[in-house]
Amino acid sequence: MLLSGDVLWLGPRAPWAAALDAAVHSCAAAADLPARGGAALVVIAGDPAAAADWLRRPRERPPALVVADGDDAEEAALQAGADEAVSASAPPEDARRAVRRALARHAAAQDETDVFRLMVECATDLLTLTDADGRTLYASPAAEELTGAPAEDLVGREPFASVHPDDLDRVRRAYVGAVAAGGAPVATQYRVRDADGCVRVVESVGRPACAGGRTYGVVSTRDVTERVEMEERLRDSEARYRAVVRALPDVVSRLRHDGWVVDFHVPPVFETEFPAEAMLGRRLQDVIQTDIARKFADNVGRLRETGRVVSYDYEVEVMGETRHREVRLAPLGDGEVISMIRDVTALRQKTAALQRSRTELRALATHLQDVREEERARLSREVHDVLGQQLTAIRLGIGWFGRRLSDNAEAQARLAELRETIDETIGHVRQVAADLRPGVLDDFGLASAAEWQVERFAARTGLATSLDVEGTAEVPTDVATAAFRVLQEALTNVARHADARSVDVTLDVTLGGGAVRLTVADDGRGFDGNAVGRRTLGLLGMRERAGALGGTLDVRGVPGRGTVVECTLPLAPPRP
């Protein structure tokens, strides 16, 4: 069965009307055309313009077939909104096929309309349709979220009612421009006030559309408040970044991993070396020297492997002067790095001058130490030889007097006291001479001198001491002197401060590794290295002695667990 209900016919009936196999009823005027469900099919014979409004509402009416003669008439009927058109003189079978097409197209239109309705009603953007006069004919449900008012309240109103007064003229001009654009979309951004008085920023895209001989405005409006605020924060951040970068004395650039320069800031001091206009939009390797470009590529490779900040330096000739540059590369993500180039020429010059000064001061200190050791040796010899000889001569003279006054008991007692005093003085003289410069150091070497010093220390302090000497190699005089003085100072510190019960001394003169190693360890109270610091004069003196020969001094102390002094002295003198 072709139709499931009656047919309502407007206008003269066509010859094939009886072939529809349905009851056909006449309709007097277009105003009497039924709504949806009022008929299985409506046939309009003649000009469909009288029923144009009815035809344009496919969801509210039954399927519509227009009887039109000629291709132009059929096309006009379809443009007016008919579901199908057929000639009055068409054979019955063609008319039946036209009916079937009308029914199918109407059903499809219903499905499409439902889909489009679902899309519009679920869209987060506000979709509005306005007439040529600017009145709103339709507003999607998103209106309530955007404006705070139900969509029904916008219908029949001018679409600019919620526009911020300061933006109203600009929005009106944009709307007029969209109408005049002839179909091209026009976008504008402006502020609106919602029902609660809150101001939001929206973006509307509108374009004119024609249907049924009428012009409409189709506008899509989106809330872009968060985006605008984010863009504002981004601009502020960019401005702060630019301000910070401009204040830096460094060349700051953003580069891709392949060296392509994305952004480049050049302070005045670098302008001759890195003109910004020559850098932007080019590969860094194509602009800078080949050897510097190779360093850059190598360090970018390191950065990509480790994901960490890398740094390197290089030298470059600028206007006939060698300049020193320090470069730091940091990952930015998205295949980019940030590069900071700093001129460290002045710093390098100051560092070199400071190093020269330290070298000169150390050389002076070494010279003073040598002079002092020479003076000690001279005084030791004079004290030992001259004073010793003179005291010996005095003792012999007293002995002569003793022989002459052998029968005088009182004189013999007095002379015995003098001889005892002279013997004590000779002992003190020998001790002073040994303290100034022990002869055993010059005559028998470092190992014997260390043994002599440890024995004297044990005798003077009563502490349990041990000495372990490894090797018998001959040590140069300057190295032996430094090691002996360090041993003296370390033992003095033990006696003064350690409150120890025992001291162990190890002297390695096997010359393994080309150095002499001296270790003095006690079991005393120890100390806090951070609290003592590096400015203690005794420790400072030992460090200077070791440092003057290119050696090292390591002092390790733990409160309550003793102290270890370890000195390493190379045999070869340090290079100046």
Side-chain angles (χ1 to χ4, degrees):
M1 189 174 182
L2 181 61
L3 294 168
S4 59
D6 296 344
V7 175
L8 190 62
W9 200 291
L10 176 64
R13 298 188 184 185
W16 41 263
L20 298 182
D21 296 333
V24 179
H25 305 281
S26 297
C27 181
D32 299 329
L33 292 174
R36 184 175 182 177
L41 176 69
V42 173
V43 180
I44 301 175
D47 186 5
D53 288 341
W54 182 84
L55 287 172
R56 279 195 294 270
R57 298 193 298 273
R59 295 184 67 246
E60 301 175 9
R61 62 170 174 79
L65 175 69
V66 173
V67 179
D69 292 323
D71 293 340
D72 292 342
E74 290 182 5
E75 181 65 26
L78 295 175
Q79 289 291 336
D83 296 310
E84 186 56 83
V86 65
S87 172
S89 59
E93 189 58 36
D94 288 350
R96 291 172 63 86
R97 281 195 291 270
V99 170
R100 283 193 287 269
R101 287 196 298 271
L103 296 175
R105 286 177 179 171
H106 186 74
Q110 298 303 305
D111 292 340
E112 289 181 2
T113 300
D114 290 340
V115 170
F116 285 126
R117 178 181 58 78
L118 185 64
M119 290 173 58
V120 170
E121 291 182 353
C122 293
T124 56
D125 293 352
L126 169 61
L127 303 176
T128 55
L129 182 71
T130 63
D131 60 16
D133 297 327
R135 288 188 300 273
T136 300
L137 302 176
Y138 172 81
S140 68
E144 187 162 2
E145 182 176 352
L146 188 64
T147 66
E152 295 78 7
D153 291 356
L154 302 183
V155 176
R157 297 171 54 190
E158 188 182 51
F160 312 120
S162 61
V163 177
H164 193 282
D166 295 342
D167 297 339
L168 185 57
D169 290 342
R170 179 168 56 83
V171 174
R172 288 183 185 277
R173 289 194 300 270
Y175 182 84
V176 173
V179 174
V186 175
T188 184
Q189 191 176 102
Y190 55 95
R191 292 165 295 172
V192 298
R193 290 186 183 276
D194 61 19
D196 296 329
C198 296
V199 177
R200 299 187 184 186
V201 182
V202 300
E203 184 178 71
S204 293
V205 179
R207 65 186 304 169
C210 295
R214 295 185 180 183
T215 300
Y216 299 92
V218 180
V219 182
S220 173
T221 303
R222 173 174 297 178
D223 187 344
V224 294
T225 305
E226 290 185 3
R227 190 191 77 190
V228 170
E229 291 174 350
M230 186 176 297
E231 289 173 350
E232 183 65 26
R233 289 195 296 269
L234 182 61
R235 283 192 294 270
D236 291 343
S237 177
E238 181 77 11
R240 289 194 296 270
Y241 162 75
R242 293 292 177 188
V244 170
V245 167
R246 282 194 296 270
L248 291 175
D250 307 334
V251 175
V252 181
S253 54
R254 281 174 51 214
L255 309 109
R256 295 204 305 248
H257 286 165
D258 60 0
W260 190 267
V261 180
V262 179
D263 193 12
F264 211 81
H265 163 72
V266 185
V269 69
F270 286 97
E271 285 180 348
T272 56
E273 184 179 351
F274 296 109
E277 63 276 5
M279 309 300 293
L280 286 172
R282 300 182 63 183
R283 289 177 71 249
L284 187 65
Q285 298 93 314
D286 298 335
V287 182
I288 61 178
Q289 295 176 196
T290 303
D291 56 337
I292 302 176
R294 190 178 302 113
K295 274 193 172 184
F296 168 78
D298 292 344
N299 282 278
V300 168
R302 286 174 51 207
L303 179 144
R304 296 180 68 179
E305 289 177 3
T306 63
R308 299 179 178 177
V309 175
V310 298
S311 60
Y312 64 96
D313 52 24
Y314 66 88
E315 295 180 0
V316 63
E317 291 289 329
V318 179
M319 302 179 67
E321 181 183 1
T322 300
R323 308 294 295 180
H324 300 272
R325 308 300 195 210
E326 182 182 75
V327 184
R328 292 176 65 85
L329 300 175
L332 281 181
D334 297 328
E336 292 186 357
V337 300
I338 186 168
S339 167
M340 299 183 69
I341 304 176
R342 175 166 294 181
D343 183 4
V344 294
T345 305
L347 177 61
R348 295 292 173 84
Q349 291 171 346
K350 291 178 180 178
T351 302
L354 179 60
Q355 186 61 41
R356 286 195 300 271
S357 176
R358 286 178 175 174
T359 302
E360 292 170 356
L361 287 174
R362 178 154 286 175
L364 176 60
T366 302
H367 173 69
L368 293 176
Q369 292 281 8
D370 293 342
V371 169
R372 190 167 76 168
E373 288 296 336
E374 292 174 1
E375 186 65 13
R376 281 184 168 204
R378 184 185 67 79
L379 290 174
S380 177
R381 286 192 299 270
E382 289 188 2
V383 168
H384 184 274
D385 296 343
V386 176
L387 289 179
Q389 291 174 6
Q390 290 176 350
L391 288 170
T392 300
I394 292 172
R395 194 179 190 285
L396 291 174
I398 290 175
W400 182 85
F401 280 106
R403 289 190 297 274
R404 295 293 185 274
L405 301 173
S406 59
D407 55 349
N408 189 332
E410 184 179 357
Q412 288 296 327
R414 183 59 178 165
L415 289 174
E417 292 178 358
L418 290 175
R419 278 194 297 269
E420 185 178 349
T421 300
I422 291 172
D423 289 342
E424 290 179 358
T425 303
I426 290 174
H428 286 309
V429 167
R430 288 175 179 173
Q431 182 176 348
V432 169
D435 288 340
L436 286 171
R437 178 76 179 185
V440 67
L441 179 62
D442 295 323
D443 297 337
F444 300 102
L446 176 59
S448 297
E451 184 177 1
W452 172 79
Q453 181 65 33
V454 169
E455 289 176 354
R456 289 186 66 204
F457 174 81
R460 188 172 71 251
T461 62
L463 298 180
T465 60
S466 67
L467 173 65
D468 181 14
V469 179
E470 300 177 6
T472 59
E474 185 176 349
V475 179
T477 301
D478 56 346
V479 176
T481 300
F484 181 77
R485 294 303 183 192
V486 170
L487 174 60
Q488 277 187 320
E489 183 64 32
L491 292 176
T492 299
N493 286 341
V494 171
R496 289 178 178 175
H497 310 296
D499 194 19
R501 295 185 301 274
S502 64
V503 183
D504 298 320
V505 179
T506 302
L507 179 63
D508 182 359
V509 292
T510 59
L511 307 187
V516 172
R517 291 180 178 82
L518 171 68
T519 304
V520 180
D522 66 68
D523 61 353
R525 68 181 62 181
F527 71 97
D528 185 350
N530 295 327
V532 173
R534 297 179 59 88
R535 302 301 300 174
T536 303
L537 293 179
L539 294 178
L540 181 60
M542 289 191 286
R543 283 197 175 93
E544 284 301 316
R545 281 189 179 275
L549 295 177
T552 60
L553 183 84
D554 183 24
V555 181
R556 302 184 298 275
V558 178
R561 299 178 60 181
T563 304
V564 177
V565 176
E566 185 173 346
C567 179
T568 302
L569 300 172
L571 299 178
R575 295 181 179 180

